[in-house]
Amino acid sequence: MNEQDSDSLDSLRDSSSFELRIKTAESMVEVLEILHEHDLSEEDFTNRFPVLAKLFQGLPNETAPPG
């Protein structure tokens, strides 16, 4: 991993836990909270975890009014 990577995601166990939390998130807001906890921007997340980022894009946005 490069110097810009989050220290908390350096171990395989931490990375696996992070991925599981993203995969089980029920909204974009929840994913954004997880990214914030790991000091990851959306751009870094998309670059480092492109498959997870695609899952993230399909989640509902809790802040959007029902339509």
Side-chain angles (χ1 to χ4, degrees):
M1 292 186 188
N2 67 39
E3 293 176 18
Q4 295 178 17
D5 291 339
S6 173
D7 292 335
S8 65
L9 295 176
D10 285 343
S11 77
L12 179 58
R13 186 171 98 184
D14 289 341
S15 181
S16 294
S17 174
F18 171 78
E19 289 183 33
L20 179 62
R21 289 183 67 202
I22 296 294
K23 288 178 181 178
T24 59
E26 296 182 3
S27 70
M28 288 184 175
V29 172
E30 188 175 346
V31 171
L32 292 173
E33 289 173 359
I34 296 166
L35 296 181
H36 179 74
E37 288 172 18
H38 291 279
D39 295 324
L40 280 176
S41 68
E42 288 183 60
E43 183 178 351
D44 290 338
F45 173 62
T46 302
N47 292 335
R48 287 186 61 195
F49 303 96
V51 174
L52 289 176
K54 287 182 183 181
L55 292 173
F56 165 70
Q57 292 171 354
L59 291 174
N61 184 350
E62 286 182 347
T63 61

